[in-house]
Each structure stands twice: as C-alpha cells, then as structure tokens.
Amino acid sequence: MSSSSRVRVGTLVPFAEGKSGSPNASPPMPSIPILEGSNVVGRSNLVAVDKRVSRKHLSLRALPDGSVEVVEGPNPIVVRSEGQRRKVCAQQKAKVMHDDVLELIPGEYFMKYVNTSDERKSSTSVESHDLKKGKRHSEEDSVAAKRNRQVMEDEALARTLQESFAEESTSVTEVLSSLDSVGSSERNKERTDSVGPLKDVLPLTFRLMRVQGLPSWTNTSTVTIQDVIQGEVLLAVLSNYMVDMDWLLTACPSLRKVPHVLVLHGEDGASLEHLKKTKPANWILHKPPLPISFGTHHSKAMLLVYPQGIRVVVHTANLIHVDWNNKSQGLWTQDFPWKEANDMSTNIGFENDLVDYLRALKWPEFRVNLPVAGDVNINAAFFRKFDYSSSTVRLIGSVPGYHVGPNMKKWGHMKLRSVLEECVFEKQFCKSPLIYQFSSLGSLDEKWMSEFACSLSAGKADDGSQLGIGKPLIVWPTVEDVRCSIEGYAAGSCIPSPQKNVEKDFLRKYWSRWKADHVGRWYALPFPAAT
C-alpha cells in the first residue's frame, strides 16, 4: 500500500522537556505523521544530522484504533506513559498511546504521540485533558525532585569525606588562604580571585569535567580547562598522551602568556611533527623514555607554579577537544604554598611520591628566573620547594619496565598495596567490591587479576582483622553504550583492545556496565586513563 493511500492515525509532535507542546529547541525536529501500518523514524526526520540517531532508528506499527506499537529498534529509546518512564532496548516491544512521549535518545529528542481521533475529542474535553496533563507533569516533577535529591546526597557525601580528611590536615579553604597570604599584601589582593583553585563552587578536590550537549543540571559544579588553568602562572608542566596544540591554545588562551611551559607527551610520527610546528617558541617538548617495547606515556597531570605556590592536577582527559567536551572525565586538584625557609628539609609521603615519579620522566633540565624563587633549575628536585603537608591523598605512579628489590613497591599496584597496608578502615569496608575502569584492555590473566585484587584489598579493619578480598568488577562499555553516547560509534575509537583480549572466557564473570543516571551521565561515555 502506498503512503498516499494510507490513513493518518496520529502525529509525533516534538517538544522541549518541561514545555509540552512547544517546539523542540535543541535539537530541532519537525512533526512526523504516523500512517496506518508500518512507519520508520530515523535520522532523516532530523533538521540537523546527529549520528547517534540511525537512519532506521525505530519502526512503529500503527493500528486502525490509533494506538502504535514499537516493533523494532536497534537503539534504546524511552517511552513515558502515565507517569512511568520505561527504557525499551533492541528487540523489545512497547505500546504507545495518545499523549505518551518517546525519547529517541534517552534524555533527548522528545516526541509526543497525538492520536488523530483523540485530538478531535480533546476540543470537547479540554478541562479533563488539562487535569490529566497536570497530573503527569506533577509525576514528572516528582521524578526530577528525586533525581535532584540524589545529586544533593552524593555531593553531601563527598563533602563529608573531604571534611574527614581535613580533620588531620589543613582544610582546603585554609590552603587557599595560605596561598593568598604569601608575598606582598597588595599583590595578593589583586590575585585573590584569579588564583584560588575553584572559587565560588563546592570546596572539593575532585571534579567532573563539563560535557557539552547535556542538560544544565548535569553540569553542576563541573569544570572546564579554563577553570583549572587560570591566574598568573609562572611555570606550567603539562603531562599527557595526546596533545592538540591548536585546540589547547584556543580553549585556554591564557597559556600563551605563561613564560615557561614544559609538555611531556606520548605523540610520535606526523602528530609529533605537527606538535613541533604549532607549539609556541618558548614551549619545551619531551617524550619520556620507554625502556620496554610496550605502552606509551599517557600520565595526565598538570603542575602550575604561581607566585603563591603550586597547583597539582591529576586528570583523565587527553589535551584534545573530544576528551574535554564529549566524555565523562574527572580531575583531582589541590593547591600548596611555598615552603618556609626553615622547612626545606622536611618532606612527606605525597612529596616523595611526586618527586620520585617526576625523576623517572627524565626531562632535560632547564633554567628559569622566577620572581619568588630567583634563578632555579627546573628538575624533579625543584618541586620539593612546596609545602605538601596539607595533602589529602597519596600519588601512585606507574613507570614502565621490570622492577626488582626496593623498586617493587615503588610503582604500580604494589605501591598501592604498600600504602593501603598502613591504613585502617571501618568494619563496613571489609570485602568491599573492587571496581576497575580504564580505556584500553591489555592481555590479562587470572594470576595477575588475583595479585591486583590483593593489592586493592590491602589494609586492616579497625578491629585489627584483614579487610578480605573484595569482588572485582570491570566496567567496560557495550555496543549499545557506545552507540548511544554523545559521539555515537565514533566514541569506540577511544576503547582500543584486540578482540582476543576482550573475549577471554575467565573475564566474563567480571564484566559490568557503567551507569550514572542520577547525575545525567548515561550518554557520555567515561574513559579515564590517568596513571
């Protein structure tokens, strides 16, 4: 039967979330007539191309009574009916009635189904329709309130953890104040707003990065690269794997004003040649040595030296646009003041962690003149000039090679084991699950997995007993996760691994899916890769 001879039984009408009946502002879609029989909804129905929406995103079968059945869809959609929100995955079916809402991508592309016969009836029953609509909105508001409450609870938990760390050290607020108190009062007054790490947002040392295209509530307390690199930076050390110099200088133009910048990277070939051509003249490039034939340098960190102290940042994103804008990434950051002259000989675990790792990178020393330190060599030892006594974490470095003797517990999971063995935990942490998340999968075996689990489960309970080995869980995205992410299938390029590594039988019991609906991150794939 040709479409011209088929009867229209309803219409899919786009609307913006929370504004029923108004045009869908972003991304736009036209109304879609639904004809009796089979209907296909897909990318061709969009005004702007979005590769997350396939050409045949879902098939609908419209019945003579005006009801519609979702009969096929390789991509997950959401059907909202009578206050209930149901996710419909591939090969599943769902009934769609008048006034029900379809989300072609969970959280986006809202389409309300309007039955033609019910549309006619609505003119004579506006009052009852409004009551029904009001009830539905009330239920949706309840869901939104529950979601916001969950976000607040998560943030409250994070604040509680931060406060517990601060009981044994200087609080984050005090650290910021101490940075501002160094140097002349007039100079500090000028820099009060520019150097405080994350002023006007929650005083936590861990942040998610802002993701473009998500609802505003999901980006609460997130940061951009400009939030991290700000103020009068005298010296910057940027460590990463991939570096897009054109994007970096555009996204963070203040970097052009930094007089001394060292970039530690893992680039090679044509990418490295382009990096050399596009870098500012005063920037130094260094690719750390790899003593073995496997791996690459991909430690993601920043060391930013200010007149008041240093900002240490450990993050999970390459210095490229898609990592800082399209994926769920995170960073840890804390500021530390310069040491007093009589404290130069003192050091703590965090300081040794940092300096030992920087020494292993073997960058060529260079000499600079800093207003607050004079003429100094920039090497690993230079970073002992800062007071890390307020640090709330330990750094676990990973250095390629084969380590024996004392070096066995200096790097990697054996270093983590030695740190945790000195920690005491509450009884509730006994046999806590072990969650592993990474962006590339090497060749794992049972023996190594067992060793790794032992390292992560090290430590004692407050009654003196061992914590016990927790259940390991490997978070790895499914095809559906990739397809429905912000970048669609293109995001799959960020999870490289040979099929033979992923399909090992013994790994099946470890696989787990990542989900963060309550913070709106279910369609921004997480790819942390900081080591």
Side-chain angles (χ1 to χ4, degrees), residues 265-283:
H265 65 90
E267 300 278 23
D268 57 16
S271 297
L272 178 55
E273 292 305 312
H274 183 71
L275 191 59
K276 291 177 179 177
K277 291 178 182 178
T278 55
K279 76 173 185 67
N282 62 315
W283 289 33

Side-chain angles (χ1 to χ4, degrees), residues 24 97 111 155 208 213 258 323 339 346 362 370 409 525 529:
N24 193 352
M97 305 298 289
M111 307 289 292
E155 292 175 345
L208 288 177
V258 180
D323 274 24
K339 281 182 179 178
T346 62
K362 298 180 179 178
L370 299 179
K409 294 188 176 182
L525 283 183

Side-chain angles (χ1 to χ4, degrees), residues 465-482:
S465 63
Q466 296 296 319
L467 285 181
I469 308 299
K471 179 183 178 181
L473 301 171
I474 298 177
V475 175
W476 190 259
T478 64
V479 173
E480 179 183 325
D481 293 331
V482 176

Side-chain angles (χ1 to χ4, degrees), residues 107-222:
E108 291 187 63
Y109 296 108
F110 302 94
M111 307 289 292
K112 175 183 287 186
Y113 177 63
V114 178
N115 185 321
T116 302
S117 59
D118 285 332
E119 188 175 17
R120 297 192 192 102
K121 295 175 186 175
S122 63
S123 61
T124 60
S125 58
V126 173
E127 193 171 307
S128 62
H129 174 72
D130 287 345
L131 287 174
K132 181 180 179 183
K133 185 170 67 175
K135 179 182 179 183
R136 179 169 297 166
H137 286 175
S138 176
E139 290 167 339
E140 290 173 2
D141 289 344
S142 176
V143 172
K146 181 178 180 182
R147 180 181 62 193
N148 291 335
R149 185 168 62 252
Q150 180 65 57
V151 173
M152 293 174 64
E153 289 173 355
D154 289 348
E155 292 175 345
L157 174 60
R159 285 195 295 271
T160 300
L161 292 174
Q162 180 66 32
E163 290 166 1
S164 68
F165 282 129
E167 288 177 359
E168 299 178 2
S169 62
T170 308
S171 70
V172 175
T173 304
E174 290 170 341
V175 174
L176 307 189
S177 300
S178 68
L179 287 182
D180 287 337
S181 66
V182 180
S184 70
S185 59
E186 181 177 351
R187 182 175 62 193
N188 287 342
K189 182 178 180 181
E190 294 173 354
R191 295 180 184 139
T192 299
D193 292 331
S194 62
V195 179
L198 298 171
K199 226 167 172 61
D200 299 326
V201 292
L202 296 175
L204 306 180
T205 55
F206 178 79
R207 285 287 186 282
L208 288 177
M209 297 178 189
R210 187 163 302 161
V211 177
Q212 294 180 349
L214 297 188
S216 59
W217 70 267
T218 68
N219 279 316
T220 302
S221 299
T222 57

Side-chain angles (χ1 to χ4, degrees), residues 20 28 42 82 114 181 226 252 254 258 268 287 317 322 391 449 467:
S20 179
E82 297 183 350
V114 178
S181 66
Q226 290 190 45
C252 193
S254 63
V258 180
D268 57 16
K287 184 174 182 178
V322 295
S391 59
M449 289 288 287
L467 285 181

